[in-house]
Amino acid sequence: MTNAPDLCLALETLAETGLPVADQAIFPGAAMDCLADIGVMRASLPTAFGGLGLGTEPGRGIKTFLMLHSLGRISLPLGRLVEAHVNALRIIARYGNPGQMAAAADGVQSGGVFGLWVTDPPGVAGLTMQQDSASLRLTGGKMFCSGAGHIGWAVVTAFDPACQDQRLLLLRLDGSERISPLPAGLAGMKAAVTGQVDFSGRILPVETMIGQPGDYLREPDFSAGAWRSSAVALGGLFRLTALLRDQLKARGRADDPHQRARFGQVLMAHETGRLWLHRAAVMAENLEAHPDEIVATVGLARLAVERACLDGIELVHRSLGLSAFLSDNPVERLTRDLQTYLRQPAADEVLHNAAGYFLSHALPAAGDRPC
Ligand SMILES: Cc1cc2nc3c(=O)[nH]c(=O)nc-3n(C[C@H](O)[C@H](O)[C@H](O)COP(=O)(O)OP(=O)(O)OC[C@H]3O[C@@H](n4cnc5c(N)ncnc54)[C@H](O)[C@@H]3O)c2cc1C
């Protein structure tokens, strides 16, 4: 296994040279293989299982940030698929037993991609499990499942009426699940191949369950993981900044004072997001601060990155004008992907709760915490 600096360097190179990913709901298999070849998919395995512990062991917040940010620069859908893989492995490392972690590590070492499917369809009962002494029977399914039909493993949540709570399950996807596209496709992030999956009728051994009832929603992990999707999104803003620079120069508009002012604002937006995410990454990965402080800090970081990206998109549109909407301009697709990816759950509630926390506790520390 390569080390983290070499991995980040390899990703930087890919971000510069580019890795083709079609703007279609087609799984980017060749690009994912390329990431696997340089060690991205194994990097999140704990070190005891041959990985670098990125996202699964403390003290690796900044390295994990660099990996995810670089992936966002390369392609937001690729970043989304890897981010889900990291999230799933983290859950298995945190709550799974040694046998489950070993099985997951074997899966990754033999090329498996993991997903995390936790979103229930609106207006109907979501995925439910019925348990007897030897087996579990699944009814219903999940929606917004990235990689559906293509990845080999998924961590899912299923409601267990016996304990009236959600349970985590580690599923080897064997083709028996019924995969379908979303009723209406997403405007952006098409290559993340986000579909819906019906597991009805699937019977599984009880060993499929990970951890205890309620583990999925246990804080700070439940909310703190949001910093990772923000890191990918911020990588998208970085690429947008580079495209803005290149296109302003190519059109001979880089010396215009208004264009320079907007370019400066985009740089500041990205740096604001980066500073927030460094703080959030260290807190969320080290888990040394109080859980409520971690959740509040990550919540603010997530929203700061959302704001930075939305401001960046607006400034880029104003700077490039209609050319940013031409279908052969990479800015068009990137802004569409970024706008779609920024839609993450419960934004108002996150701000309300984070602000509430800092109204009744010490303000965020002025100095950096050691990483
Ligand atoms: C590209 C992409 C890939 C995805 N892949 C996966 C995946 O692999 N697995 C998975 O499980 N999920 C996946 N998701 C879904 C994701 O986890 C969230 O479910 C989804 O992004 C929620 O976004 P939303 O804007 O609809 O959230 P909402 O929470 O519905 O927010 C929309 C707005 O409503 C407000 N709001 C929220 N709740 C309330 C309320 N009760 N009352 C009033 N207002 C409210 C919010 O503050 C916000 O302003 C993916 C999403 C995207 C964009």
Side-chain angles (χ1 to χ4, degrees), residues 91-92 94-97 100 166-169 206-216 218:
I91 285 176
I92 299 164
R94 286 279 284 161
Y95 301 121
N97 60 39
Q100 289 167 329
Q166 297 283 340
R167 300 282 326 223
L168 286 160
L169 309 178
V206 288
E207 293 76 31
T208 309
M209 287 187 288
I210 303 176
Q212 302 305 313
D215 275 349
Y216 175 63
R218 206 173 299 290

Side-chain angles (χ1 to χ4, degrees), residues 80 116-119 144 146 189 194 340 343-348:
R80 158 80 287 252
L116 178 62
W117 297 342
V118 294
T119 308
F144 294 125
S146 290
M189 298 294 281
T194 304
T340 306
R343 291 307 110 223
Q344 296 296 325
D348 301 325

Side-chain angles (χ1 to χ4, degrees), residues 99-353:
Q100 289 167 329
M101 190 64 244
D106 281 349
V108 173
Q109 297 288 8
S110 45
V113 178
F114 283 61
L116 178 62
W117 297 342
V118 294
T119 308
D120 288 315
V124 294
L127 186 61
T128 305
M129 54 177 259
Q130 295 289 341
Q131 188 183 159
D132 62 31
S133 56
S135 63
L136 316 171
R137 186 184 180 87
L138 300 184
T139 312
K142 293 287 175 188
M143 80 180 298
F144 294 125
C145 303
S146 290
H150 301 275
I151 60 175
W153 301 72
V155 172
V156 304
T157 47
F159 183 71
D160 181 358
C163 61
Q164 288 291 302
D165 211 336
Q166 297 283 340
R167 300 282 326 223
L168 286 160
L169 309 178
L170 172 57
L171 301 184
R172 182 84 180 88
L173 303 168
D174 62 2
S176 64
E177 51 281 342
R178 283 176 295 283
I179 316 275
S180 51
L182 298 176
L186 291 171
M189 298 294 281
K190 291 179 185 171
V193 195
T194 304
Q196 45 194 14
V197 182
D198 185 350
F199 295 98
S200 295
R202 184 139 181 213
I203 296 173
L204 300 157
V206 288
E207 293 76 31
T208 309
M209 287 187 288
I210 303 176
Q212 302 305 313
D215 275 349
Y216 175 63
L217 293 177
R218 206 173 299 290
E219 297 290 15
D221 275 76
F222 172 64
S223 299
W227 83 264
R228 289 189 287 272
S229 63
S230 298
V232 175
L234 195 70
L237 178 59
F238 188 94
R239 174 146 175 256
L240 195 55
T241 312
L243 289 169
L244 174 61
R245 178 199 57 199
D246 296 347
Q247 295 188 16
L248 284 177
K249 283 172 145 179
R251 293 170 81 185
R253 293 183 168 183
D255 292 333
D256 177 78
H258 302 284
Q259 297 288 15
R260 284 201 176 186
R262 276 192 292 269
F263 185 63
Q265 286 173 308
V266 177
L267 291 171
M268 288 189 280
H270 178 273
E271 183 61 7
T272 302
R274 191 189 70 85
L275 288 165
W276 267 107
L277 282 183
H278 270 209
R279 182 188 286 264
V282 171
M283 268 200 180
E285 297 303 301
N286 288 6
L287 294 178
E288 284 166 356
H290 190 281
D292 293 346
E293 186 185 357
I294 298 173
V295 170
T297 303
V298 171
L300 293 180
R302 178 191 133 182
L303 296 174
V305 169
E306 181 193 285
R307 188 70 262 152
C309 292
L310 291 173
D311 286 348
I313 290 168
E314 186 183 348
L315 289 158
V316 166
H317 281 163
R318 183 72 185 273
S319 294
L320 298 181
L322 199 54
S323 75
F325 295 83
L326 292 172
S327 56
D328 64 351
N329 187 337
V331 167
E332 188 279 324
R333 178 189 172 182
L334 179 53
T335 50
R336 194 161 29 82
D337 282 348
L338 190 52
Q339 283 171 315
T340 306
Y341 192 34
L342 287 174
R343 291 307 110 223
Q344 296 296 325
D348 301 325
E349 186 186 352
V350 166
L351 181 58
H352 180 84
N353 290 346

